């Protein structure tokens, strides 16, 4: 199991849990909701950087003639939809901010269109995130298995046990 895959999995799990917490600002409070959302934006950037090679390779292959990448194409389109939706959530969230923007000493005019866009894009993100999770479920399960499964053999231990002489 590569350290990169372990890092990706831990980052993705923590991002997903934070996403779920941020989705209910009534429970966490507006301040935690907004600051957590800013942190989520940073983790998404790290996620994109960790997967950058995949993004570049799939982009090249998708635009090459005669490639049969239906599953990858679906994943690619879904990822773009998630990215665009995330930008809409962040932009509209900043525009209706009650905590982060005022903490920076700024004031923005109240506009209910931004609130509606924020609510709609947040709800769409739940659907898109569910689809994203579904498409990556096998990778998640297999990575968990590799991290938490016992190693079948431990050569050093076996060799040490075999080399002991039994005296009668």
């Amino acid at each position: 199991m590569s350290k990169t895959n372990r890092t990706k999995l831990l980052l993705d799990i923590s991002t997903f849990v934070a996403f779920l917490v941020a989705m209910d600002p009534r429970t966490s409070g507006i301040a935690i909701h907004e600051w957590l959302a800013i942190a989520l934006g940073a983790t998404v950037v790290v996620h994109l950087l960790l997967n950058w090679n995949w993004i570049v390779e799939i982009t090249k292959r998708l635009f090459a003639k005669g490639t049969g990448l239906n599953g990858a194409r679906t994943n690619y389109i879904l990822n773009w939809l998630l990215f665009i939706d995330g930008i809409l959530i962040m932009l509209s969230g900043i525009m209706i901010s009650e905590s982060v923007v005022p903490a920076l000493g700024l004031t923005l005019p109240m506009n209910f269109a931004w609130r509606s866009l924020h609510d709609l894009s947040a709800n769409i993100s739940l659907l898109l995130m569910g689809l994203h999770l579904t498409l990556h479920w096998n990778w998640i399960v297999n990575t968990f298995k590799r991290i938490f499964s016992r190693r079948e053999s431990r050569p050093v231990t076996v060799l040490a046990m075999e080399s002991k002489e039994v005296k009668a």
Side-chain angles (χ1 to χ4, degrees):
M1 150 101 355
S2 72
K3 287 184 181 183
T4 303
N5 279 342
R6 185 176 296 135
T7 301
K8 285 180 187 180
L9 182 65
L10 294 174
L11 176 71
D12 292 351
I13 289 170
S14 60
T15 301
F16 185 68
V17 169
F19 170 77
L20 293 176
V21 170
M23 285 301 294
D24 190 12
R26 290 170 288 166
T27 302
S28 62
I30 292 295
I32 290 173
H33 169 78
E34 291 184 15
W35 287 106
L36 187 58
I38 298 291
L40 278 169
T43 62
V44 168
V45 169
V46 172
H47 177 86
L48 291 172
L49 291 173
L50 286 173
N51 292 289
W52 191 252
N53 288 338
W54 179 87
I55 294 167
V56 170
E57 287 305 312
I58 292 297
T59 302
K60 286 179 188 175
R61 290 172 54 197
L62 284 177
F63 294 105
K65 290 185 178 182
T67 57
L69 299 170
N70 290 334
R73 186 173 284 115
T74 301
N75 192 18
Y76 187 80
I77 291 167
L78 178 63
N79 286 337
W80 269 107
L81 291 173
L82 266 168
F83 183 71
I84 292 165
D85 191 59
I87 290 171
L88 291 174
I89 293 171
M90 292 296 285
L91 176 63
S92 59
I94 289 168
M95 296 306 292
I96 62 172
S97 174
E98 298 174 18
S99 182
V100 172
V101 171
L104 298 173
L106 303 170
T107 55
L108 297 172
M110 291 299 282
N111 184 326
F112 291 106
W114 288 114
R115 164 71 62 198
S116 296
L117 178 62
H118 189 69
D119 292 344
L120 177 64
S121 57
N123 289 332
I124 290 171
S125 73
L126 283 172
L127 174 67
L128 295 174
M129 190 63 72
L131 291 171
H132 186 76
L133 187 65
T134 301
L135 282 175
H136 291 85
W137 189 250
N138 286 337
W139 180 86
I140 294 166
V141 169
N142 290 332
T143 304
F144 257 105
K145 284 179 182 176
R146 279 185 241 127
I147 290 174
F148 295 110
S149 69
R150 295 167 135 196
R151 293 186 180 161
E152 292 181 16
S153 63
R154 295 184 180 218
V156 174
T157 306
V158 171
L159 290 175
M161 291 173 59
E162 291 175 352
S163 67
K164 288 184 180 180
E165 291 182 16
V166 180
K167 294 182 181 179

